[in-house]
PDB file of all heavy atoms in Angstrom:
ATOM      1  N   VAL U 162       3.839 -12.728  -1.083  1.00 98.00           N
ATOM      2  CA  VAL U 162       3.549 -11.359  -1.054  1.00 98.00           C
ATOM      3  C   VAL U 162       4.575 -10.633  -0.156  1.00 98.00           C
ATOM      4  O   VAL U 162       4.938 -10.994   0.981  1.00 98.00           O
ATOM      5  CB  VAL U 162       2.234 -11.147  -0.358  1.00 98.00           C
ATOM      6  CG1 VAL U 162       1.916  -9.564  -0.197  1.00 98.00           C
ATOM      7  CG2 VAL U 162       1.090 -11.737  -1.279  1.00 98.00           C
ATOM      8  N   ALA U 163       5.234  -9.567  -0.772  1.00 98.00           N
ATOM      9  CA  ALA U 163       6.146  -8.773  -0.070  1.00 98.00           C
ATOM     10  C   ALA U 163       5.371  -7.435   0.206  1.00 98.00           C
ATOM     11  O   ALA U 163       4.558  -6.947  -0.697  1.00 98.00           O
ATOM     12  CB  ALA U 163       7.435  -8.421  -0.894  1.00 98.00           C
ATOM     13  N   ILE U 164       5.570  -6.737   1.298  1.00 98.00           N
ATOM     14  CA  ILE U 164       4.838  -5.531   1.678  1.00 98.00           C
ATOM     15  C   ILE U 164       5.925  -4.470   1.973  1.00 98.00           C
ATOM     16  O   ILE U 164       6.875  -4.682   2.766  1.00 98.00           O
ATOM     17  CB  ILE U 164       4.021  -5.697   2.862  1.00 98.00           C
ATOM     18  CG1 ILE U 164       2.944  -6.861   2.658  1.00 98.00           C
ATOM     19  CG2 ILE U 164       3.228  -4.526   3.143  1.00 98.00           C
ATOM     20  CD1 ILE U 164       2.221  -7.323   3.826  1.00 98.00           C
ATOM     21  N   LEU U 165       5.799  -3.246   1.336  1.00 98.00           N
ATOM     22  CA  LEU U 165       6.711  -2.185   1.517  1.00 98.00           C
ATOM     23  C   LEU U 165       5.952  -1.190   2.420  1.00 98.00           C
ATOM     24  O   LEU U 165       4.889  -0.801   2.146  1.00 98.00           O
ATOM     25  CB  LEU U 165       7.018  -1.493   0.258  1.00 98.00           C
ATOM     26  CG  LEU U 165       7.883  -2.425  -0.686  1.00 98.00           C
ATOM     27  CD1 LEU U 165       8.348  -1.443  -1.872  1.00 98.00           C
ATOM     28  CD2 LEU U 165       9.127  -2.989  -0.049  1.00 98.00           C
ATOM     29  N   ILE U 166       6.716  -0.708   3.536  1.00 98.00           N
ATOM     30  CA  ILE U 166       6.159   0.236   4.452  1.00 98.00           C
ATOM     31  C   ILE U 166       7.105   1.372   4.694  1.00 98.00           C
ATOM     32  O   ILE U 166       8.348   1.201   4.430  1.00 98.00           O
ATOM     33  CB  ILE U 166       5.848  -0.421   5.789  1.00 98.00           C
ATOM     34  CG1 ILE U 166       7.135  -0.905   6.511  1.00 98.00           C
ATOM     35  CG2 ILE U 166       4.804  -1.591   5.657  1.00 98.00           C
ATOM     36  CD1 ILE U 166       6.873  -1.440   7.947  1.00 98.00           C
ATOM     37  N   GLY U 168       6.198   3.423   7.850  1.00 97.00           N
ATOM     38  CA  GLY U 168       5.926   3.857   9.079  1.00 97.00           C
ATOM     39  C   GLY U 168       5.363   2.743   9.969  1.00 97.00           C
ATOM     40  O   GLY U 168       5.910   1.681  10.033  1.00 97.00           O
ATOM     41  N   GLY U 169       4.193   3.012  10.637  1.00 96.00           N
ATOM     42  CA  GLY U 169       3.685   2.172  11.637  1.00 96.00           C
ATOM     43  C   GLY U 169       3.253   0.845  11.085  1.00 96.00           C
ATOM     44  O   GLY U 169       3.146  -0.222  11.710  1.00 96.00           O
ATOM     45  N   MET U 173      -0.142  -3.025   6.753  1.00 98.00           N
ATOM     46  CA  MET U 173       0.689  -4.275   6.649  1.00 98.00           C
ATOM     47  C   MET U 173       0.157  -5.276   7.612  1.00 98.00           C
ATOM     48  O   MET U 173       0.022  -6.414   7.313  1.00 98.00           O
ATOM     49  CB  MET U 173       2.191  -3.880   6.922  1.00 98.00           C
ATOM     50  CG  MET U 173       3.153  -5.012   6.958  1.00 98.00           C
ATOM     51  SD  MET U 173       3.143  -5.922   8.655  1.00 98.00           S
ATOM     52  CE  MET U 173       3.794  -4.537   9.607  1.00 98.00           C
ATOM     53  N   VAL U 174      -0.069  -4.855   8.868  1.00 98.00           N
ATOM     54  CA  VAL U 174      -0.551  -5.789   9.853  1.00 98.00           C
ATOM     55  C   VAL U 174      -1.874  -6.463   9.471  1.00 98.00           C
ATOM     56  O   VAL U 174      -2.069  -7.700   9.488  1.00 98.00           O
ATOM     57  CB  VAL U 174      -0.736  -5.134  11.238  1.00 98.00           C
ATOM     58  CG1 VAL U 174      -1.461  -5.985  12.266  1.00 98.00           C
ATOM     59  CG2 VAL U 174       0.666  -4.716  11.806  1.00 98.00           C
ATOM     60  N   VAL U 177      -1.087  -8.961   6.690  1.00 98.00           N
ATOM     61  CA  VAL U 177      -0.412 -10.215   7.122  1.00 98.00           C
ATOM     62  C   VAL U 177      -1.402 -11.085   7.870  1.00 98.00           C
ATOM     63  O   VAL U 177      -1.454 -12.254   7.739  1.00 98.00           O
ATOM     64  CB  VAL U 177       0.767  -9.802   8.077  1.00 98.00           C
ATOM     65  CG1 VAL U 177       1.269 -10.973   8.843  1.00 98.00           C
ATOM     66  CG2 VAL U 177       1.878  -9.198   7.221  1.00 98.00           C
ATOM     67  N   PRO U 188       2.504 -13.903   3.339  1.00 98.00           N
ATOM     68  CA  PRO U 188       3.569 -12.830   3.348  1.00 98.00           C
ATOM     69  C   PRO U 188       4.990 -13.500   3.460  1.00 98.00           C
ATOM     70  O   PRO U 188       5.182 -14.402   4.247  1.00 98.00           O
ATOM     71  CB  PRO U 188       3.205 -12.153   4.684  1.00 98.00           C
ATOM     72  CG  PRO U 188       2.624 -13.247   5.632  1.00 98.00           C
ATOM     73  CD  PRO U 188       1.777 -14.042   4.669  1.00 98.00           C
ATOM     74  N   VAL U 189       5.775 -12.904   2.687  1.00 98.00           N
ATOM     75  CA  VAL U 189       7.182 -13.576   2.674  1.00 98.00           C
ATOM     76  C   VAL U 189       8.249 -12.517   3.138  1.00 98.00           C
ATOM     77  O   VAL U 189       9.395 -12.752   3.440  1.00 98.00           O
ATOM     78  CB  VAL U 189       7.567 -14.122   1.263  1.00 98.00           C
ATOM     79  CG1 VAL U 189       6.761 -15.337   1.048  1.00 98.00           C
ATOM     80  CG2 VAL U 189       7.476 -12.989   0.231  1.00 98.00           C
ATOM     81  N   LEU U 190       7.889 -11.130   3.044  1.00 98.00           N
ATOM     82  CA  LEU U 190       8.837 -10.097   3.517  1.00 98.00           C
ATOM     83  C   LEU U 190       8.123  -8.797   3.731  1.00 98.00           C
ATOM     84  O   LEU U 190       7.145  -8.485   2.980  1.00 98.00           O
ATOM     85  CB  LEU U 190       9.875  -9.865   2.301  1.00 98.00           C
ATOM     86  CG  LEU U 190      10.929  -8.891   2.616  1.00 98.00           C
ATOM     87  CD1 LEU U 190      11.950  -9.382   3.763  1.00 98.00           C
ATOM     88  CD2 LEU U 190      11.710  -8.442   1.345  1.00 98.00           C
ATOM     89  N   VAL U 191       8.512  -8.119   4.829  1.00 98.00           N
ATOM     90  CA  VAL U 191       8.165  -6.745   4.953  1.00 98.00           C
ATOM     91  C   VAL U 191       9.370  -5.843   4.937  1.00 98.00           C
ATOM     92  O   VAL U 191      10.352  -6.186   5.696  1.00 98.00           O
ATOM     93  CB  VAL U 191       7.395  -6.554   6.305  1.00 98.00           C
ATOM     94  CG1 VAL U 191       7.190  -5.016   6.639  1.00 98.00           C
ATOM     95  CG2 VAL U 191       6.105  -7.264   6.391  1.00 98.00           C
ATOM     96  N   ALA U 192       9.459  -4.877   4.064  1.00 98.00           N
ATOM     97  CA  ALA U 192      10.660  -4.065   3.888  1.00 98.00           C
ATOM     98  C   ALA U 192      10.286  -2.585   3.943  1.00 98.00           C
ATOM     99  O   ALA U 192       9.174  -2.185   3.658  1.00 98.00           O
ATOM    100  CB  ALA U 192      11.275  -4.365   2.532  1.00 98.00           C
ATOM    101  N   SER U 193      11.222  -1.774   4.584  1.00 98.00           N
ATOM    102  CA  SER U 193      10.994  -0.397   4.684  1.00 98.00           C
ATOM    103  C   SER U 193      12.207   0.443   4.190  1.00 98.00           C
ATOM    104  O   SER U 193      13.292  -0.068   4.169  1.00 98.00           O
ATOM    105  CB  SER U 193      10.742  -0.071   6.139  1.00 98.00           C
ATOM    106  OG  SER U 193      10.514   1.388   6.329  1.00 98.00           O
ATOM    107  N   ASN U 194      11.837   1.676   3.756  1.00 98.00           N
ATOM    108  CA  ASN U 194      12.981   2.661   3.472  1.00 98.00           C
ATOM    109  C   ASN U 194      13.505   3.296   4.720  1.00 98.00           C
ATOM    110  O   ASN U 194      14.425   4.077   4.618  1.00 98.00           O
ATOM    111  CB  ASN U 194      12.416   3.678   2.478  1.00 98.00           C
ATOM    112  CG  ASN U 194      11.325   4.486   3.084  1.00 98.00           C
ATOM    113  OD1 ASN U 194      10.205   3.920   3.311  1.00 98.00           O
ATOM    114  ND2 ASN U 194      11.501   5.739   3.488  1.00 98.00           N
ATOM    115  N   ASP U 195      12.784   3.046   5.809  1.00 98.00           N
ATOM    116  CA  ASP U 195      13.249   3.613   7.108  1.00 98.00           C
ATOM    117  C   ASP U 195      13.545   2.458   8.045  1.00 98.00           C
ATOM    118  O   ASP U 195      12.685   1.795   8.549  1.00 98.00           O
ATOM    119  CB  ASP U 195      12.113   4.543   7.637  1.00 98.00           C
ATOM    120  CG  ASP U 195      12.478   5.076   8.971  1.00 98.00           C
ATOM    121  OD1 ASP U 195      13.540   4.808   9.589  1.00 98.00           O
ATOM    122  OD2 ASP U 195      11.671   5.931   9.434  1.00 98.00           O
ATOM    123  N   PRO U 196      14.887   2.373   8.514  1.00 98.00           N
ATOM    124  CA  PRO U 196      15.237   1.301   9.465  1.00 98.00           C
ATOM    125  C   PRO U 196      14.509   1.420  10.763  1.00 98.00           C
ATOM    126  O   PRO U 196      14.427   0.423  11.528  1.00 98.00           O
ATOM    127  CB  PRO U 196      16.759   1.530   9.593  1.00 98.00           C
ATOM    128  CG  PRO U 196      17.081   2.827   9.125  1.00 98.00           C
ATOM    129  CD  PRO U 196      15.954   3.247   8.079  1.00 98.00           C
ATOM    130  N   GLN U 197      13.994   2.642  11.062  1.00 98.00           N
ATOM    131  CA  GLN U 197      13.313   2.812  12.396  1.00 98.00           C
ATOM    132  C   GLN U 197      11.782   2.647  12.238  1.00 98.00           C
ATOM    133  O   GLN U 197      11.057   2.965  13.276  1.00 98.00           O
ATOM    134  CB  GLN U 197      13.559   4.187  12.988  1.00 98.00           C
ATOM    135  CG  GLN U 197      15.035   4.600  13.096  1.00 98.00           C
ATOM    136  CD  GLN U 197      15.764   3.581  13.978  1.00 98.00           C
ATOM    137  OE1 GLN U 197      15.253   3.146  15.022  1.00 98.00           O
ATOM    138  NE2 GLN U 197      16.902   3.184  13.560  1.00 98.00           N
ATOM    139  N   ALA U 198      11.292   2.270  11.070  1.00 98.00           N
ATOM    140  CA  ALA U 198       9.772   2.176  10.871  1.00 98.00           C
ATOM    141  C   ALA U 198       9.271   1.188  11.896  1.00 98.00           C
ATOM    142  O   ALA U 198       9.746   0.052  12.020  1.00 98.00           O
ATOM    143  CB  ALA U 198       9.548   1.668   9.432  1.00 98.00           C
ATOM    144  N   GLY U 199       8.269   1.688  12.546  1.00 98.00           N
ATOM    145  CA  GLY U 199       7.687   0.804  13.684  1.00 98.00           C
ATOM    146  C   GLY U 199       7.080  -0.402  13.204  1.00 98.00           C
ATOM    147  O   GLY U 199       7.052  -1.491  13.848  1.00 98.00           O
ATOM    148  N   GLY U 200       6.563  -0.451  11.883  1.00 98.00           N
ATOM    149  CA  GLY U 200       6.017  -1.618  11.311  1.00 98.00           C
ATOM    150  C   GLY U 200       7.063  -2.723  11.159  1.00 98.00           C
ATOM    151  O   GLY U 200       6.654  -3.953  11.121  1.00 98.00           O
ATOM    152  N   LEU U 201       8.348  -2.526  11.105  1.00 98.00           N
ATOM    153  CA  LEU U 201       9.255  -3.574  11.048  1.00 98.00           C
ATOM    154  C   LEU U 201       9.275  -4.558  12.302  1.00 98.00           C
ATOM    155  O   LEU U 201       9.266  -5.728  12.153  1.00 98.00           O
ATOM    156  CB  LEU U 201      10.725  -3.038  10.864  1.00 98.00           C
ATOM    157  CG  LEU U 201      10.962  -2.316   9.521  1.00 98.00           C
ATOM    158  CD1 LEU U 201      12.409  -1.778   9.508  1.00 98.00           C
ATOM    159  CD2 LEU U 201      10.818  -3.333   8.296  1.00 98.00           C
ATOM    160  N   GLN U 202       9.105  -3.922  13.469  1.00 98.00           N
ATOM    161  CA  GLN U 202       9.028  -4.811  14.635  1.00 98.00           C
ATOM    162  C   GLN U 202       7.627  -5.507  14.654  1.00 98.00           C
ATOM    163  O   GLN U 202       7.557  -6.667  15.084  1.00 98.00           O
ATOM    164  CB  GLN U 202       9.149  -3.936  15.955  1.00 98.00           C
ATOM    165  CG  GLN U 202       9.217  -4.768  17.254  1.00 98.00           C
ATOM    166  CD  GLN U 202      10.346  -5.749  17.209  1.00 98.00           C
ATOM    167  OE1 GLN U 202      11.551  -5.378  16.932  1.00 98.00           O
ATOM    168  NE2 GLN U 202      10.029  -7.086  17.385  1.00 98.00           N
ATOM    169  N   ARG U 203       6.678  -4.756  14.272  1.00 98.00           N
ATOM    170  CA  ARG U 203       5.320  -5.463  14.227  1.00 98.00           C
ATOM    171  C   ARG U 203       5.367  -6.656  13.236  1.00 98.00           C
ATOM    172  O   ARG U 203       4.818  -7.623  13.568  1.00 98.00           O
ATOM    173  CB  ARG U 203       4.231  -4.458  13.762  1.00 98.00           C
ATOM    174  CG  ARG U 203       4.093  -3.288  14.829  1.00 98.00           C
ATOM    175  CD  ARG U 203       3.162  -2.285  14.305  1.00 98.00           C
ATOM    176  NE  ARG U 203       1.755  -2.499  14.600  1.00 98.00           N
ATOM    177  CZ  ARG U 203       0.821  -1.678  14.166  1.00 98.00           C
ATOM    178  NH1 ARG U 203       0.973  -0.527  13.552  1.00 98.00           N
ATOM    179  NH2 ARG U 203      -0.497  -1.995  14.466  1.00 98.00           N
ATOM    180  N   ALA U 204       6.007  -6.578  12.167  1.00 98.00           N
ATOM    181  CA  ALA U 204       6.064  -7.618  11.158  1.00 98.00           C
ATOM    182  C   ALA U 204       6.844  -8.800  11.773  1.00 98.00           C
ATOM    183  O   ALA U 204       6.410  -9.950  11.695  1.00 98.00           O
ATOM    184  CB  ALA U 204       6.697  -7.198   9.893  1.00 98.00           C
ATOM    185  N   ALA U 205       8.088  -8.446  12.430  1.00 98.00           N
ATOM    186  CA  ALA U 205       8.795  -9.523  13.007  1.00 98.00           C
ATOM    187  C   ALA U 205       7.981 -10.269  14.124  1.00 98.00           C
ATOM    188  O   ALA U 205       8.063 -11.418  14.243  1.00 98.00           O
ATOM    189  CB  ALA U 205      10.069  -8.822  13.633  1.00 98.00           C
ATOM    190  N   ASP U 206       7.270  -9.412  14.963  1.00 98.00           N
ATOM    191  CA  ASP U 206       6.484  -9.998  15.934  1.00 98.00           C
ATOM    192  C   ASP U 206       5.316 -11.043  15.403  1.00 98.00           C
ATOM    193  O   ASP U 206       4.916 -11.970  16.070  1.00 98.00           O
ATOM    194  CB  ASP U 206       5.721  -8.993  16.832  1.00 98.00           C
ATOM    195  CG  ASP U 206       6.713  -8.046  17.652  1.00 98.00           C
ATOM    196  OD1 ASP U 206       7.821  -8.616  17.737  1.00 98.00           O
ATOM    197  OD2 ASP U 206       6.252  -7.045  18.054  1.00 98.00           O
ATOM    198  N   LEU U 207       5.058 -10.726  14.153  1.00 98.00           N
ATOM    199  CA  LEU U 207       4.041 -11.594  13.458  1.00 98.00           C
ATOM    200  C   LEU U 207       4.724 -12.831  12.727  1.00 98.00           C
ATOM    201  O   LEU U 207       4.031 -13.519  11.997  1.00 98.00           O
ATOM    202  CB  LEU U 207       3.129 -10.748  12.469  1.00 98.00           C
ATOM    203  CG  LEU U 207       2.170  -9.758  13.215  1.00 98.00           C
ATOM    204  CD1 LEU U 207       1.592  -8.802  12.157  1.00 98.00           C
ATOM    205  CD2 LEU U 207       1.060 -10.520  13.791  1.00 98.00           C
ATOM    206  N   GLY U 208       6.072 -12.851  12.846  1.00 98.00           N
ATOM    207  CA  GLY U 208       6.810 -13.973  12.234  1.00 98.00           C
ATOM    208  C   GLY U 208       7.116 -13.762  10.821  1.00 98.00           C
ATOM    209  O   GLY U 208       7.464 -14.724  10.095  1.00 98.00           O
ATOM    210  N   VAL U 209       7.025 -12.509  10.271  1.00 98.00           N
ATOM    211  CA  VAL U 209       7.406 -12.272   8.933  1.00 98.00           C
ATOM    212  C   VAL U 209       8.814 -11.810   8.808  1.00 98.00           C
ATOM    213  O   VAL U 209       9.198 -10.832   9.550  1.00 98.00           O
ATOM    214  CB  VAL U 209       6.394 -11.220   8.186  1.00 98.00           C
ATOM    215  CG1 VAL U 209       6.793 -11.005   6.768  1.00 98.00           C
ATOM    216  CG2 VAL U 209       4.950 -11.685   8.492  1.00 98.00           C
ATOM    217  N   GLY U 210       9.549 -12.259   7.798  1.00 98.00           N
ATOM    218  CA  GLY U 210      10.885 -11.698   7.610  1.00 98.00           C
ATOM    219  C   GLY U 210      10.885 -10.247   7.292  1.00 98.00           C
ATOM    220  O   GLY U 210       9.915  -9.776   6.587  1.00 98.00           O
ATOM    221  N   VAL U 211      11.895  -9.466   7.751  1.00 98.00           N
ATOM    222  CA  VAL U 211      11.850  -8.000   7.502  1.00 98.00           C
ATOM    223  C   VAL U 211      13.289  -7.610   6.912  1.00 98.00           C
ATOM    224  O   VAL U 211      14.251  -8.475   6.947  1.00 98.00           O
ATOM    225  CB  VAL U 211      11.721  -7.322   8.830  1.00 98.00           C
ATOM    226  CG1 VAL U 211      10.309  -7.565   9.387  1.00 98.00           C
ATOM    227  CG2 VAL U 211      12.782  -7.591   9.871  1.00 98.00           C
ATOM    228  N   ALA U 212      13.259  -6.539   6.369  1.00 98.00           N
ATOM    229  CA  ALA U 212      14.468  -5.961   5.797  1.00 98.00           C
ATOM    230  C   ALA U 212      14.267  -4.449   5.611  1.00 98.00           C
ATOM    231  O   ALA U 212      13.103  -3.887   5.669  1.00 98.00           O
ATOM    232  CB  ALA U 212      14.683  -6.523   4.383  1.00 98.00           C
ATOM    233  N   HIS U 213      15.352  -3.683   5.562  1.00 98.00           N
ATOM    234  CA  HIS U 213      15.235  -2.239   5.254  1.00 98.00           C
ATOM    235  C   HIS U 213      16.445  -1.829   4.406  1.00 98.00           C
ATOM    236  O   HIS U 213      17.410  -2.363   4.368  1.00 98.00           O
ATOM    237  CB  HIS U 213      15.300  -1.485   6.638  1.00 98.00           C
ATOM    238  CG  HIS U 213      16.605  -1.492   7.310  1.00 98.00           C
ATOM    239  ND1 HIS U 213      16.899  -2.377   8.318  1.00 98.00           N
ATOM    240  CD2 HIS U 213      17.760  -0.730   7.169  1.00 98.00           C
ATOM    241  CE1 HIS U 213      18.173  -2.204   8.790  1.00 98.00           C
ATOM    242  NE2 HIS U 213      18.715  -1.201   8.010  1.00 98.00           N
ATOM    243  N   VAL U 214      16.141  -0.793   3.644  1.00 98.00           N
ATOM    244  CA  VAL U 214      17.137  -0.058   2.880  1.00 98.00           C
ATOM    245  C   VAL U 214      16.890   1.389   3.112  1.00 98.00           C
ATOM    246  O   VAL U 214      15.870   1.954   2.779  1.00 98.00           O
ATOM    247  CB  VAL U 214      16.975  -0.366   1.304  1.00 98.00           C
ATOM    248  CG1 VAL U 214      18.013   0.372   0.515  1.00 98.00           C
ATOM    249  CG2 VAL U 214      17.017  -1.832   1.039  1.00 98.00           C
ATOM    250  N   LEU U 230      16.954  -2.145  -2.972  1.00 98.00           N
ATOM    251  CA  LEU U 230      15.715  -2.583  -2.587  1.00 98.00           C
ATOM    252  C   LEU U 230      15.350  -3.882  -3.336  1.00 98.00           C
ATOM    253  O   LEU U 230      14.862  -4.865  -2.751  1.00 98.00           O
ATOM    254  CB  LEU U 230      14.603  -1.488  -2.671  1.00 98.00           C
ATOM    255  CG  LEU U 230      13.203  -1.890  -2.290  1.00 98.00           C
ATOM    256  CD1 LEU U 230      13.127  -2.349  -0.868  1.00 98.00           C
ATOM    257  CD2 LEU U 230      12.220  -0.719  -2.652  1.00 98.00           C
ATOM    258  N   VAL U 232      17.316  -6.071  -4.591  1.00 98.00           N
ATOM    259  CA  VAL U 232      18.151  -7.208  -4.139  1.00 98.00           C
ATOM    260  C   VAL U 232      17.482  -7.789  -2.888  1.00 98.00           C
ATOM    261  O   VAL U 232      17.346  -9.009  -2.893  1.00 98.00           O
ATOM    262  CB  VAL U 232      19.602  -6.654  -3.727  1.00 98.00           C
ATOM    263  CG1 VAL U 232      20.398  -7.724  -2.917  1.00 98.00           C
ATOM    264  CG2 VAL U 232      20.334  -6.247  -5.039  1.00 98.00           C
ATOM    265  N   LYS U 233      17.051  -6.956  -1.957  1.00 98.00           N
ATOM    266  CA  LYS U 233      16.298  -7.529  -0.788  1.00 98.00           C
ATOM    267  C   LYS U 233      15.072  -8.211  -1.169  1.00 98.00           C
ATOM    268  O   LYS U 233      14.670  -9.282  -0.626  1.00 98.00           O
ATOM    269  CB  LYS U 233      15.982  -6.321   0.239  1.00 98.00           C
ATOM    270  CG  LYS U 233      17.163  -5.478   0.671  1.00 98.00           C
ATOM    271  CD  LYS U 233      17.810  -6.134   1.857  1.00 98.00           C
ATOM    272  CE  LYS U 233      18.886  -5.165   2.327  1.00 98.00           C
ATOM    273  NZ  LYS U 233      19.609  -5.644   3.584  1.00 98.00           N
ATOM    274  N   LEU U 234      14.355  -7.544  -2.140  1.00 98.00           N
ATOM    275  CA  LEU U 234      13.027  -8.166  -2.453  1.00 98.00           C
ATOM    276  C   LEU U 234      13.283  -9.612  -3.213  1.00 98.00           C
ATOM    277  O   LEU U 234      12.620 -10.413  -2.930  1.00 98.00           O
ATOM    278  CB  LEU U 234      12.282  -7.203  -3.533  1.00 98.00           C
ATOM    279  CG  LEU U 234      11.707  -5.972  -2.937  1.00 98.00           C
ATOM    280  CD1 LEU U 234      11.129  -5.048  -3.943  1.00 98.00           C
ATOM    281  CD2 LEU U 234      10.522  -6.412  -1.973  1.00 98.00           C
ATOM    282  N   THR U 236      15.435 -11.655  -2.717  1.00 97.00           N
ATOM    283  CA  THR U 236      15.700 -12.762  -1.713  1.00 97.00           C
ATOM    284  C   THR U 236      14.436 -13.556  -1.368  1.00 97.00           C
ATOM    285  O   THR U 236      14.461 -14.699  -0.961  1.00 97.00           O
ATOM    286  CB  THR U 236      16.439 -12.318  -0.463  1.00 97.00           C
ATOM    287  OG1 THR U 236      15.568 -11.341   0.267  1.00 97.00           O
ATOM    288  CG2 THR U 236      17.741 -11.612  -0.811  1.00 97.00           C
ATOM    289  N   ALA U 237      13.329 -12.727  -1.398  1.00 98.00           N
ATOM    290  CA  ALA U 237      12.039 -13.430  -0.910  1.00 98.00           C
ATOM    291  C   ALA U 237      11.254 -13.861  -2.047  1.00 98.00           C
ATOM    292  O   ALA U 237      10.183 -14.520  -1.850  1.00 98.00           O
ATOM    293  CB  ALA U 237      11.329 -12.367  -0.169  1.00 98.00           C
TER     294      ALA U 237
END
Side-chain angles (χ1 to χ4, degrees):
V162 175
I164 305 170
L165 296 186
I166 66 170
M173 173 276 297
V174 170
V177 168
V189 293
L190 182 68
V191 172
S193 180
N194 62 290
D195 179 352
Q197 305 304 318
L201 290 173
Q202 186 58 55
R203 296 170 84 179
D206 292 346
L207 290 168
V209 183
V211 295
H213 68 264
V214 180
L230 179 58
V232 167
K233 302 276 187 177
L234 290 169
T236 63

